[in-house]
Amino acid sequence: MNSTTAHFRDQPSGYGSVSRAFHWLMALLFAWQFFGAALHAINRDLAISAFFWGTHRNIGALLFVLVFLRGAWGLANMSRRPRHEGLVGQMASLGHLALYALMVFCPSVALLRQYGSARPFEPFGLPLMAGGGERIEWMTALGSATHSLSAWVLLTLVAGHIAMVFVHHFAWKDDTARMMVRGVR
Ligand code: HEM
Ligand code: HEM
């Protein structure tokens, strides 16, 4: 393997450029998404809330696509990724798995509700759902019961994830943050 390939791919010493690009691009988009959703929850009548809310479905749909691409890349790199050993490592793997589960679930039920609403949906102008058919009650009910709830649970988990990075870096003084920030050694 030449050094360019090694740089793209993950290594036991750190995440490669593709995994890091996915991680930080999605972290940025989630920050945008949650900032807008929090504004919407607090006071949806403000101009700034309306601005962010106008991007919610598009960014949500984009995050839905990105999580599958990132997951596929992660699976293809599984054997080369930094190892998570011991009890703390197993907890980290479980935490990451839970993040993925929610990153898939949360936009899935929103898209299901969108489909069930029989209204057209064209994220970034792409005609994804034509709309116009019958309203499908169970889809809208499932989405309404679980979408924002799962999103706030995801945000809580993300807060714990970020807190753990700080614990690794400042209390345990280990290499964890570097693996996702600077990447392969
Ligand atoms: C991973 C991506 C997403 C995240 C993190 C997310 C997050 C959230 C959050 C936190 C809320 C609650 C806001 C409030 O209480 O005012 C919310 C509501 C909402 N979201 Fe999303 N969302 C995502 C994707 C989507 C997608 C793809 C759609 C539509 C296609 C969508 C449509 C809505 C709608 C219509 C609401 C208002 C109704 C409700 O509270 O369930 N979201 N979202
Ligand atoms: C400032 C924000 C963030 C920081 C500092 C951060 C830091 C890190 C670090 C250092 C790792 C490597 C941990 C390890 O290998 O044990 C990591 C991995 C990971 N992070 Fe984050 N993260 C942030 C935001 C997020 C967000 C918003 C999400 C998801 C919504 C997320 C999901 C993940 C996942 C799933 C992994 C496992 C590796 C992968 O599949 O990409 N992170 N993060």
Side-chain angles (χ1 to χ4, degrees):
M1 193 197 307
N2 64 38
S3 61
T4 316
T5 321
H7 176 72
F8 283 128
R9 292 177 170 190
D10 297 340
Q11 299 291 328
S13 72
Y15 294 93
S17 54
V18 176
S19 291
R20 283 183 293 131
F22 274 129
H23 179 272
W24 294 114
L25 173 66
M26 288 184 71
L28 203 76
L29 292 174
F30 271 112
W32 177 283
Q33 189 77 336
F34 279 116
F35 183 68
L39 284 172
H40 184 261
I42 295 164
N43 184 355
R44 66 189 64 180
D45 298 328
L46 298 176
I48 188 176
S49 310
F51 166 76
F52 275 95
W53 197 249
T55 69
H56 187 85
R57 288 164 211 241
N58 285 353
I59 300 294
L62 179 60
L63 280 165
F64 176 77
V65 173
L66 285 174
V67 72
F68 287 100
L69 297 176
R70 172 182 179 177
W73 181 260
L75 285 177
N77 281 268
M78 196 60 111
S79 62
R80 280 185 295 269
R81 291 201 141 186
R83 298 235 169 276
H84 295 117
E85 276 151 0
L87 185 62
V88 174
Q90 279 178 346
M91 299 289 287
S93 297
L94 265 180
H96 294 163
L97 199 68
L99 283 168
Y100 271 102
L102 284 164
M103 284 192 285
V104 170
F105 182 85
C106 168
S108 297
V109 288
L111 290 167
L112 202 67
R113 173 175 59 189
Q114 185 68 43
Y115 183 81
S117 76
R119 283 196 289 265
F121 181 46
E122 302 189 346
F124 301 101
L126 297 169
L128 186 66
M129 299 177 193
E134 289 268 303
R135 202 180 144 85
I136 306 169
E137 214 54 57
W138 72 265
M139 289 188 181
T140 55
L142 180 70
S144 295
T146 57
H147 174 60
S148 66
L149 180 66
S150 64
W152 296 125
V153 175
L154 172 59
L155 180 62
T156 309
L157 218 63
V158 168
H161 173 68
I162 296 170
M164 280 314 295
V165 175
F166 280 85
V167 170
H168 275 283
H169 197 71
F170 293 106
W172 300 342
K173 298 188 176 12
D174 66 22
D175 234 15
T176 305
R178 182 198 50 79
M179 290 184 186
M180 192 53 94
V181 177
R182 310 205 34 196
V184 177
R185 191 156 30 208

PDB file of all heavy atoms in Angstrom, residues 31-67:
ATOM      1  N   ALA A  31     -24.422  20.296  14.534  1.00  0.00           N
ATOM      2  CA  ALA A  31     -24.420  21.521  15.348  1.00  0.00           C
ATOM      3  C   ALA A  31     -25.430  22.514  14.762  1.00  0.00           C
ATOM      4  O   ALA A  31     -26.234  23.105  15.480  1.00  0.00           O
ATOM      5  CB  ALA A  31     -23.018  22.123  15.398  1.00  0.00           C
ATOM      6  N   TRP A  32     -25.383  22.680  13.446  1.00  0.00           N
ATOM      7  CA  TRP A  32     -26.327  23.561  12.735  1.00  0.00           C
ATOM      8  C   TRP A  32     -27.768  23.108  12.992  1.00  0.00           C
ATOM      9  O   TRP A  32     -28.653  23.894  13.335  1.00  0.00           O
ATOM     10  CB  TRP A  32     -26.002  23.523  11.234  1.00  0.00           C
ATOM     11  CG  TRP A  32     -26.921  24.304  10.357  1.00  0.00           C
ATOM     12  CD1 TRP A  32     -28.175  23.941   9.954  1.00  0.00           C
ATOM     13  CD2 TRP A  32     -26.664  25.590   9.776  1.00  0.00           C
ATOM     14  NE1 TRP A  32     -28.711  24.909   9.139  1.00  0.00           N
ATOM     15  CE2 TRP A  32     -27.810  25.925   9.016  1.00  0.00           C
ATOM     16  CE3 TRP A  32     -25.578  26.469   9.801  1.00  0.00           C
ATOM     17  CZ2 TRP A  32     -27.901  27.123   8.291  1.00  0.00           C
ATOM     18  CZ3 TRP A  32     -25.670  27.658   9.083  1.00  0.00           C
ATOM     19  CH2 TRP A  32     -26.816  27.983   8.344  1.00  0.00           C
ATOM     20  N   GLN A  33     -27.992  21.799  12.818  1.00  0.00           N
ATOM     21  CA  GLN A  33     -29.333  21.221  12.930  1.00  0.00           C
ATOM     22  C   GLN A  33     -29.904  21.398  14.342  1.00  0.00           C
ATOM     23  O   GLN A  33     -31.048  21.802  14.509  1.00  0.00           O
ATOM     24  CB  GLN A  33     -29.246  19.726  12.556  1.00  0.00           C
ATOM     25  CG  GLN A  33     -30.583  19.017  12.406  1.00  0.00           C
ATOM     26  CD  GLN A  33     -31.258  19.362  11.082  1.00  0.00           C
ATOM     27  OE1 GLN A  33     -31.007  20.406  10.482  1.00  0.00           O
ATOM     28  NE2 GLN A  33     -32.130  18.492  10.634  1.00  0.00           N
ATOM     29  N   PHE A  34     -29.061  21.109  15.352  1.00  0.00           N
ATOM     30  CA  PHE A  34     -29.550  21.210  16.726  1.00  0.00           C
ATOM     31  C   PHE A  34     -29.698  22.666  17.172  1.00  0.00           C
ATOM     32  O   PHE A  34     -30.584  22.992  17.958  1.00  0.00           O
ATOM     33  CB  PHE A  34     -28.643  20.434  17.686  1.00  0.00           C
ATOM     34  CG  PHE A  34     -28.942  18.958  17.699  1.00  0.00           C
ATOM     35  CD1 PHE A  34     -28.000  18.035  17.280  1.00  0.00           C
ATOM     36  CD2 PHE A  34     -30.182  18.498  18.132  1.00  0.00           C
ATOM     37  CE1 PHE A  34     -28.290  16.677  17.279  1.00  0.00           C
ATOM     38  CE2 PHE A  34     -30.483  17.145  18.139  1.00  0.00           C
ATOM     39  CZ  PHE A  34     -29.535  16.226  17.711  1.00  0.00           C
ATOM     40  N   PHE A  35     -28.824  23.534  16.670  1.00  0.00           N
ATOM     41  CA  PHE A  35     -28.957  24.958  16.993  1.00  0.00           C
ATOM     42  C   PHE A  35     -30.306  25.468  16.474  1.00  0.00           C
ATOM     43  O   PHE A  35     -31.069  26.110  17.197  1.00  0.00           O
ATOM     44  CB  PHE A  35     -27.788  25.745  16.385  1.00  0.00           C
ATOM     45  CG  PHE A  35     -27.803  27.206  16.735  1.00  0.00           C
ATOM     46  CD1 PHE A  35     -27.565  27.625  18.033  1.00  0.00           C
ATOM     47  CD2 PHE A  35     -28.065  28.168  15.765  1.00  0.00           C
ATOM     48  CE1 PHE A  35     -27.599  28.985  18.364  1.00  0.00           C
ATOM     49  CE2 PHE A  35     -28.097  29.524  16.080  1.00  0.00           C
ATOM     50  CZ  PHE A  35     -27.863  29.925  17.383  1.00  0.00           C
ATOM     51  N   GLY A  36     -30.605  25.127  15.227  1.00  0.00           N
ATOM     52  CA  GLY A  36     -31.876  25.537  14.626  1.00  0.00           C
ATOM     53  C   GLY A  36     -33.075  24.918  15.321  1.00  0.00           C
ATOM     54  O   GLY A  36     -34.086  25.590  15.559  1.00  0.00           O
ATOM     55  N   ALA A  37     -32.958  23.628  15.680  1.00  0.00           N
ATOM     56  CA  ALA A  37     -34.074  22.940  16.347  1.00  0.00           C
ATOM     57  C   ALA A  37     -34.309  23.531  17.737  1.00  0.00           C
ATOM     58  O   ALA A  37     -35.460  23.679  18.174  1.00  0.00           O
ATOM     59  CB  ALA A  37     -33.786  21.445  16.435  1.00  0.00           C
ATOM     60  N   ALA A  38     -33.223  23.894  18.426  1.00  0.00           N
ATOM     61  CA  ALA A  38     -33.369  24.486  19.765  1.00  0.00           C
ATOM     62  C   ALA A  38     -34.056  25.845  19.660  1.00  0.00           C
ATOM     63  O   ALA A  38     -34.953  26.164  20.447  1.00  0.00           O
ATOM     64  CB  ALA A  38     -32.001  24.620  20.433  1.00  0.00           C
ATOM     65  N   LEU A  39     -33.653  26.646  18.664  1.00  0.00           N
ATOM     66  CA  LEU A  39     -34.324  27.940  18.445  1.00  0.00           C
ATOM     67  C   LEU A  39     -35.808  27.730  18.176  1.00  0.00           C
ATOM     68  O   LEU A  39     -36.659  28.437  18.712  1.00  0.00           O
ATOM     69  CB  LEU A  39     -33.690  28.667  17.250  1.00  0.00           C
ATOM     70  CG  LEU A  39     -32.336  29.338  17.471  1.00  0.00           C
ATOM     71  CD1 LEU A  39     -31.785  29.834  16.137  1.00  0.00           C
ATOM     72  CD2 LEU A  39     -32.474  30.506  18.446  1.00  0.00           C
ATOM     73  N   HIS A  40     -36.102  26.725  17.363  1.00  0.00           N
ATOM     74  CA  HIS A  40     -37.494  26.409  17.019  1.00  0.00           C
ATOM     75  C   HIS A  40     -38.283  26.015  18.268  1.00  0.00           C
ATOM     76  O   HIS A  40     -39.437  26.405  18.446  1.00  0.00           O
ATOM     77  CB  HIS A  40     -37.515  25.283  15.985  1.00  0.00           C
ATOM     78  CG  HIS A  40     -38.880  24.938  15.470  1.00  0.00           C
ATOM     79  ND1 HIS A  40     -39.608  23.872  15.941  1.00  0.00           N
ATOM     80  CD2 HIS A  40     -39.643  25.526  14.514  1.00  0.00           C
ATOM     81  CE1 HIS A  40     -40.769  23.814  15.304  1.00  0.00           C
ATOM     82  NE2 HIS A  40     -40.821  24.801  14.429  1.00  0.00           N
ATOM     83  N   ALA A  41     -37.627  25.243  19.148  1.00  0.00           N
ATOM     84  CA  ALA A  41     -38.301  24.790  20.365  1.00  0.00           C
ATOM     85  C   ALA A  41     -38.529  25.961  21.329  1.00  0.00           C
ATOM     86  O   ALA A  41     -39.546  26.034  22.010  1.00  0.00           O
ATOM     87  CB  ALA A  41     -37.480  23.690  21.036  1.00  0.00           C
ATOM     88  N   ILE A  42     -37.565  26.890  21.369  1.00  0.00           N
ATOM     89  CA  ILE A  42     -37.652  27.999  22.336  1.00  0.00           C
ATOM     90  C   ILE A  42     -38.621  29.080  21.855  1.00  0.00           C
ATOM     91  O   ILE A  42     -39.519  29.492  22.585  1.00  0.00           O
ATOM     92  CB  ILE A  42     -36.249  28.596  22.605  1.00  0.00           C
ATOM     93  CG1 ILE A  42     -35.359  27.550  23.299  1.00  0.00           C
ATOM     94  CG2 ILE A  42     -36.339  29.864  23.459  1.00  0.00           C
ATOM     95  CD1 ILE A  42     -33.879  27.888  23.272  1.00  0.00           C
ATOM     96  N   ASN A  43     -38.413  29.569  20.620  1.00  0.00           N
ATOM     97  CA  ASN A  43     -39.317  30.591  20.079  1.00  0.00           C
ATOM     98  C   ASN A  43     -39.267  30.562  18.550  1.00  0.00           C
ATOM     99  O   ASN A  43     -38.385  31.153  17.930  1.00  0.00           O
ATOM    100  CB  ASN A  43     -38.920  31.980  20.597  1.00  0.00           C
ATOM    101  CG  ASN A  43     -39.899  33.050  20.130  1.00  0.00           C
ATOM    102  OD1 ASN A  43     -40.811  32.774  19.345  1.00  0.00           O
ATOM    103  ND2 ASN A  43     -39.718  34.268  20.618  1.00  0.00           N
ATOM    104  N   ARG A  44     -40.235  29.871  17.968  1.00  0.00           N
ATOM    105  CA  ARG A  44     -40.217  29.681  16.517  1.00  0.00           C
ATOM    106  C   ARG A  44     -40.591  30.934  15.739  1.00  0.00           C
ATOM    107  O   ARG A  44     -40.472  30.977  14.524  1.00  0.00           O
ATOM    108  CB  ARG A  44     -41.126  28.512  16.130  1.00  0.00           C
ATOM    109  CG  ARG A  44     -42.593  28.746  16.396  1.00  0.00           C
ATOM    110  CD  ARG A  44     -43.388  27.484  16.192  1.00  0.00           C
ATOM    111  NE  ARG A  44     -42.995  26.440  17.149  1.00  0.00           N
ATOM    112  CZ  ARG A  44     -43.532  25.234  17.198  1.00  0.00           C
ATOM    113  NH1 ARG A  44     -44.446  24.888  16.339  1.00  0.00           N
ATOM    114  NH2 ARG A  44     -43.130  24.361  18.094  1.00  0.00           N
ATOM    115  N   ASP A  45     -41.041  31.995  16.448  1.00  0.00           N
ATOM    116  CA  ASP A  45     -41.485  33.210  15.749  1.00  0.00           C
ATOM    117  C   ASP A  45     -40.349  34.181  15.429  1.00  0.00           C
ATOM    118  O   ASP A  45     -40.547  35.123  14.652  1.00  0.00           O
ATOM    119  CB  ASP A  45     -42.553  33.931  16.569  1.00  0.00           C
ATOM    120  CG  ASP A  45     -43.789  33.054  16.741  1.00  0.00           C
ATOM    121  OD1 ASP A  45     -44.068  32.267  15.809  1.00  0.00           O
ATOM    122  OD2 ASP A  45     -44.436  33.133  17.797  1.00  0.00           O
ATOM    123  N   LEU A  46     -39.175  33.982  16.030  1.00  0.00           N
ATOM    124  CA  LEU A  46     -38.043  34.871  15.729  1.00  0.00           C
ATOM    125  C   LEU A  46     -37.588  34.672  14.286  1.00  0.00           C
ATOM    126  O   LEU A  46     -37.681  33.562  13.749  1.00  0.00           O
ATOM    127  CB  LEU A  46     -36.866  34.573  16.670  1.00  0.00           C
ATOM    128  CG  LEU A  46     -37.085  34.778  18.172  1.00  0.00           C
ATOM    129  CD1 LEU A  46     -35.852  34.338  18.940  1.00  0.00           C
ATOM    130  CD2 LEU A  46     -37.411  36.242  18.462  1.00  0.00           C
ATOM    131  N   ALA A  47     -37.046  35.748  13.695  1.00  0.00           N
ATOM    132  CA  ALA A  47     -36.572  35.656  12.307  1.00  0.00           C
ATOM    133  C   ALA A  47     -35.441  34.637  12.186  1.00  0.00           C
ATOM    134  O   ALA A  47     -35.391  33.854  11.223  1.00  0.00           O
ATOM    135  CB  ALA A  47     -36.103  37.030  11.832  1.00  0.00           C
ATOM    136  N   ILE A  48     -34.553  34.616  13.182  1.00  0.00           N
ATOM    137  CA  ILE A  48     -33.415  33.683  13.121  1.00  0.00           C
ATOM    138  C   ILE A  48     -33.904  32.231  13.214  1.00  0.00           C
ATOM    139  O   ILE A  48     -33.377  31.335  12.554  1.00  0.00           O
ATOM    140  CB  ILE A  48     -32.355  34.007  14.212  1.00  0.00           C
ATOM    141  CG1 ILE A  48     -31.111  33.149  13.989  1.00  0.00           C
ATOM    142  CG2 ILE A  48     -32.902  33.864  15.616  1.00  0.00           C
ATOM    143  CD1 ILE A  48     -29.969  33.420  14.927  1.00  0.00           C
ATOM    144  N   SER A  49     -34.957  31.991  13.996  1.00  0.00           N
ATOM    145  CA  SER A  49     -35.528  30.641  14.104  1.00  0.00           C
ATOM    146  C   SER A  49     -36.093  30.212  12.754  1.00  0.00           C
ATOM    147  O   SER A  49     -35.874  29.084  12.296  1.00  0.00           O
ATOM    148  CB  SER A  49     -36.644  30.588  15.142  1.00  0.00           C
ATOM    149  OG  SER A  49     -36.231  31.157  16.358  1.00  0.00           O
ATOM    150  N   ALA A  50     -36.812  31.141  12.125  1.00  0.00           N
ATOM    151  CA  ALA A  50     -37.424  30.835  10.825  1.00  0.00           C
ATOM    152  C   ALA A  50     -36.342  30.545   9.784  1.00  0.00           C
ATOM    153  O   ALA A  50     -36.482  29.631   8.967  1.00  0.00           O
ATOM    154  CB  ALA A  50     -38.293  32.004  10.376  1.00  0.00           C
ATOM    155  N   PHE A  51     -35.233  31.304   9.861  1.00  0.00           N
ATOM    156  CA  PHE A  51     -34.151  31.074   8.912  1.00  0.00           C
ATOM    157  C   PHE A  51     -33.587  29.651   9.063  1.00  0.00           C
ATOM    158  O   PHE A  51     -33.478  28.895   8.096  1.00  0.00           O
ATOM    159  CB  PHE A  51     -33.016  32.104   9.109  1.00  0.00           C
ATOM    160  CG  PHE A  51     -31.758  31.718   8.392  1.00  0.00           C
ATOM    161  CD1 PHE A  51     -31.665  31.868   7.006  1.00  0.00           C
ATOM    162  CD2 PHE A  51     -30.681  31.165   9.081  1.00  0.00           C
ATOM    163  CE1 PHE A  51     -30.524  31.474   6.328  1.00  0.00           C
ATOM    164  CE2 PHE A  51     -29.529  30.781   8.406  1.00  0.00           C
ATOM    165  CZ  PHE A  51     -29.450  30.932   7.025  1.00  0.00           C
ATOM    166  N   PHE A  52     -33.242  29.293  10.314  1.00  0.00           N
ATOM    167  CA  PHE A  52     -32.670  27.958  10.526  1.00  0.00           C
ATOM    168  C   PHE A  52     -33.690  26.867  10.220  1.00  0.00           C
ATOM    169  O   PHE A  52     -33.357  25.830   9.652  1.00  0.00           O
ATOM    170  CB  PHE A  52     -32.130  27.811  11.953  1.00  0.00           C
ATOM    171  CG  PHE A  52     -30.733  28.332  12.097  1.00  0.00           C
ATOM    172  CD1 PHE A  52     -30.486  29.628  12.530  1.00  0.00           C
ATOM    173  CD2 PHE A  52     -29.646  27.527  11.776  1.00  0.00           C
ATOM    174  CE1 PHE A  52     -29.187  30.108  12.656  1.00  0.00           C
ATOM    175  CE2 PHE A  52     -28.347  28.002  11.890  1.00  0.00           C
ATOM    176  CZ  PHE A  52     -28.115  29.298  12.333  1.00  0.00           C
ATOM    177  N   TRP A  53     -34.961  27.118  10.623  1.00  0.00           N
ATOM    178  CA  TRP A  53     -35.979  26.090  10.395  1.00  0.00           C
ATOM    179  C   TRP A  53     -36.182  25.834   8.897  1.00  0.00           C
ATOM    180  O   TRP A  53     -36.482  24.718   8.479  1.00  0.00           O
ATOM    181  CB  TRP A  53     -37.301  26.460  11.071  1.00  0.00           C
ATOM    182  CG  TRP A  53     -38.174  25.262  11.174  1.00  0.00           C
ATOM    183  CD1 TRP A  53     -39.335  25.032  10.508  1.00  0.00           C
ATOM    184  CD2 TRP A  53     -37.925  24.096  11.980  1.00  0.00           C
ATOM    185  NE1 TRP A  53     -39.824  23.788  10.835  1.00  0.00           N
ATOM    186  CE2 TRP A  53     -38.977  23.196  11.738  1.00  0.00           C
ATOM    187  CE3 TRP A  53     -36.909  23.725  12.875  1.00  0.00           C
ATOM    188  CZ2 TRP A  53     -39.061  21.943  12.354  1.00  0.00           C
ATOM    189  CZ3 TRP A  53     -36.985  22.488  13.486  1.00  0.00           C
ATOM    190  CH2 TRP A  53     -38.044  21.611  13.228  1.00  0.00           C
ATOM    191  N   GLY A  54     -35.956  26.858   8.096  1.00  0.00           N
ATOM    192  CA  GLY A  54     -36.070  26.709   6.642  1.00  0.00           C
ATOM    193  C   GLY A  54     -35.064  25.732   6.062  1.00  0.00           C
ATOM    194  O   GLY A  54     -35.224  25.266   4.931  1.00  0.00           O
ATOM    195  N   THR A  55     -34.018  25.411   6.829  1.00  0.00           N
ATOM    196  CA  THR A  55     -33.001  24.474   6.337  1.00  0.00           C
ATOM    197  C   THR A  55     -33.156  23.089   6.977  1.00  0.00           C
ATOM    198  O   THR A  55     -32.431  22.159   6.614  1.00  0.00           O
ATOM    199  CB  THR A  55     -31.570  24.984   6.645  1.00  0.00           C
ATOM    200  OG1 THR A  55     -31.343  24.915   8.071  1.00  0.00           O
ATOM    201  CG2 THR A  55     -31.372  26.422   6.189  1.00  0.00           C
ATOM    202  N   HIS A  56     -34.086  22.935   7.929  1.00  0.00           N
ATOM    203  CA  HIS A  56     -34.141  21.718   8.755  1.00  0.00           C
ATOM    204  C   HIS A  56     -34.331  20.424   7.950  1.00  0.00           C
ATOM    205  O   HIS A  56     -33.607  19.452   8.149  1.00  0.00           O
ATOM    206  CB  HIS A  56     -35.235  21.860   9.814  1.00  0.00           C
ATOM    207  CG  HIS A  56     -35.244  20.746  10.810  1.00  0.00           C
ATOM    208  ND1 HIS A  56     -34.447  20.742  11.934  1.00  0.00           N
ATOM    209  CD2 HIS A  56     -35.923  19.580  10.846  1.00  0.00           C
ATOM    210  CE1 HIS A  56     -34.648  19.622  12.608  1.00  0.00           C
ATOM    211  NE2 HIS A  56     -35.551  18.898  11.975  1.00  0.00           N
ATOM    212  N   ARG A  57     -35.307  20.417   7.052  1.00  0.00           N
ATOM    213  CA  ARG A  57     -35.576  19.178   6.312  1.00  0.00           C
ATOM    214  C   ARG A  57     -34.453  18.853   5.326  1.00  0.00           C
ATOM    215  O   ARG A  57     -34.093  17.683   5.162  1.00  0.00           O
ATOM    216  CB  ARG A  57     -36.899  19.301   5.545  1.00  0.00           C
ATOM    217  CG  ARG A  57     -38.100  19.269   6.456  1.00  0.00           C
ATOM    218  CD  ARG A  57     -39.335  19.779   5.718  1.00  0.00           C
ATOM    219  NE  ARG A  57     -40.224  20.423   6.655  1.00  0.00           N
ATOM    220  CZ  ARG A  57     -41.468  20.031   6.910  1.00  0.00           C
ATOM    221  NH1 ARG A  57     -41.967  19.016   6.271  1.00  0.00           N
ATOM    222  NH2 ARG A  57     -42.202  20.640   7.796  1.00  0.00           N
ATOM    223  N   ASN A  58     -33.921  19.887   4.684  1.00  0.00           N
ATOM    224  CA  ASN A  58     -32.825  19.649   3.739  1.00  0.00           C
ATOM    225  C   ASN A  58     -31.592  19.088   4.442  1.00  0.00           C
ATOM    226  O   ASN A  58     -31.011  18.091   4.010  1.00  0.00           O
ATOM    227  CB  ASN A  58     -32.423  20.966   3.051  1.00  0.00           C
ATOM    228  CG  ASN A  58     -33.426  21.382   1.993  1.00  0.00           C
ATOM    229  OD1 ASN A  58     -34.355  20.643   1.679  1.00  0.00           O
ATOM    230  ND2 ASN A  58     -33.246  22.566   1.451  1.00  0.00           N
ATOM    231  N   ILE A  59     -31.176  19.755   5.516  1.00  0.00           N
ATOM    232  CA  ILE A  59     -29.979  19.303   6.242  1.00  0.00           C
ATOM    233  C   ILE A  59     -30.238  17.919   6.855  1.00  0.00           C
ATOM    234  O   ILE A  59     -29.364  17.056   6.851  1.00  0.00           O
ATOM    235  CB  ILE A  59     -29.578  20.322   7.344  1.00  0.00           C
ATOM    236  CG1 ILE A  59     -29.269  21.698   6.714  1.00  0.00           C
ATOM    237  CG2 ILE A  59     -28.376  19.825   8.143  1.00  0.00           C
ATOM    238  CD1 ILE A  59     -28.054  21.732   5.818  1.00  0.00           C
ATOM    239  N   GLY A  60     -31.454  17.704   7.352  1.00  0.00           N
ATOM    240  CA  GLY A  60     -31.810  16.397   7.914  1.00  0.00           C
ATOM    241  C   GLY A  60     -31.693  15.292   6.879  1.00  0.00           C
ATOM    242  O   GLY A  60     -31.158  14.219   7.163  1.00  0.00           O
ATOM    243  N   ALA A  61     -32.183  15.562   5.666  1.00  0.00           N
ATOM    244  CA  ALA A  61     -32.106  14.567   4.596  1.00  0.00           C
ATOM    245  C   ALA A  61     -30.648  14.318   4.197  1.00  0.00           C
ATOM    246  O   ALA A  61     -30.241  13.177   3.930  1.00  0.00           O
ATOM    247  CB  ALA A  61     -32.920  15.027   3.388  1.00  0.00           C
ATOM    248  N   LEU A  62     -29.847  15.393   4.189  1.00  0.00           N
ATOM    249  CA  LEU A  62     -28.423  15.252   3.868  1.00  0.00           C
ATOM    250  C   LEU A  62     -27.717  14.397   4.924  1.00  0.00           C
ATOM    251  O   LEU A  62     -26.929  13.495   4.593  1.00  0.00           O
ATOM    252  CB  LEU A  62     -27.783  16.647   3.781  1.00  0.00           C
ATOM    253  CG  LEU A  62     -26.287  16.715   3.483  1.00  0.00           C
ATOM    254  CD1 LEU A  62     -25.972  16.055   2.140  1.00  0.00           C
ATOM    255  CD2 LEU A  62     -25.814  18.178   3.468  1.00  0.00           C
ATOM    256  N   LEU A  63     -28.021  14.641   6.197  1.00  0.00           N
ATOM    257  CA  LEU A  63     -27.427  13.847   7.276  1.00  0.00           C
ATOM    258  C   LEU A  63     -27.819  12.370   7.152  1.00  0.00           C
ATOM    259  O   LEU A  63     -27.011  11.474   7.426  1.00  0.00           O
ATOM    260  CB  LEU A  63     -27.867  14.398   8.640  1.00  0.00           C
ATOM    261  CG  LEU A  63     -27.096  15.630   9.116  1.00  0.00           C
ATOM    262  CD1 LEU A  63     -27.818  16.330  10.255  1.00  0.00           C
ATOM    263  CD2 LEU A  63     -25.681  15.236   9.555  1.00  0.00           C
ATOM    264  N   PHE A  64     -29.054  12.132   6.714  1.00  0.00           N
ATOM    265  CA  PHE A  64     -29.545  10.764   6.522  1.00  0.00           C
ATOM    266  C   PHE A  64     -28.695  10.037   5.476  1.00  0.00           C
ATOM    267  O   PHE A  64     -28.311   8.882   5.658  1.00  0.00           O
ATOM    268  CB  PHE A  64     -31.015  10.804   6.090  1.00  0.00           C
ATOM    269  CG  PHE A  64     -31.601   9.464   5.768  1.00  0.00           C
ATOM    270  CD1 PHE A  64     -31.971   8.592   6.784  1.00  0.00           C
ATOM    271  CD2 PHE A  64     -31.806   9.077   4.450  1.00  0.00           C
ATOM    272  CE1 PHE A  64     -32.519   7.349   6.491  1.00  0.00           C
ATOM    273  CE2 PHE A  64     -32.355   7.839   4.151  1.00  0.00           C
ATOM    274  CZ  PHE A  64     -32.709   6.973   5.175  1.00  0.00           C
ATOM    275  N   VAL A  65     -28.356  10.715   4.388  1.00  0.00           N
ATOM    276  CA  VAL A  65     -27.533  10.098   3.344  1.00  0.00           C
ATOM    277  C   VAL A  65     -26.100   9.893   3.854  1.00  0.00           C
ATOM    278  O   VAL A  65     -25.496   8.829   3.688  1.00  0.00           O
ATOM    279  CB  VAL A  65     -27.526  10.975   2.061  1.00  0.00           C
ATOM    280  CG1 VAL A  65     -26.541  10.440   1.039  1.00  0.00           C
ATOM    281  CG2 VAL A  65     -28.928  11.059   1.460  1.00  0.00           C
ATOM    282  N   LEU A  66     -25.573  10.942   4.514  1.00  0.00           N
ATOM    283  CA  LEU A  66     -24.170  10.892   4.956  1.00  0.00           C
ATOM    284  C   LEU A  66     -23.902   9.764   5.949  1.00  0.00           C
ATOM    285  O   LEU A  66     -22.840   9.146   5.915  1.00  0.00           O
ATOM    286  CB  LEU A  66     -23.769  12.240   5.583  1.00  0.00           C
ATOM    287  CG  LEU A  66     -23.539  13.393   4.603  1.00  0.00           C
ATOM    288  CD1 LEU A  66     -23.300  14.699   5.355  1.00  0.00           C
ATOM    289  CD2 LEU A  66     -22.346  13.094   3.686  1.00  0.00           C
ATOM    290  N   VAL A  67     -24.876   9.477   6.833  1.00  0.00           N
ATOM    291  CA  VAL A  67     -24.603   8.463   7.857  1.00  0.00           C
ATOM    292  C   VAL A  67     -24.405   7.081   7.219  1.00  0.00           C
ATOM    293  O   VAL A  67     -23.593   6.275   7.698  1.00  0.00           O
ATOM    294  CB  VAL A  67     -25.682   8.438   8.966  1.00  0.00           C
ATOM    295  CG1 VAL A  67     -26.993   7.848   8.493  1.00  0.00           C
ATOM    296  CG2 VAL A  67     -25.166   7.674  10.177  1.00  0.00           C
TER     297      VAL A  67
END
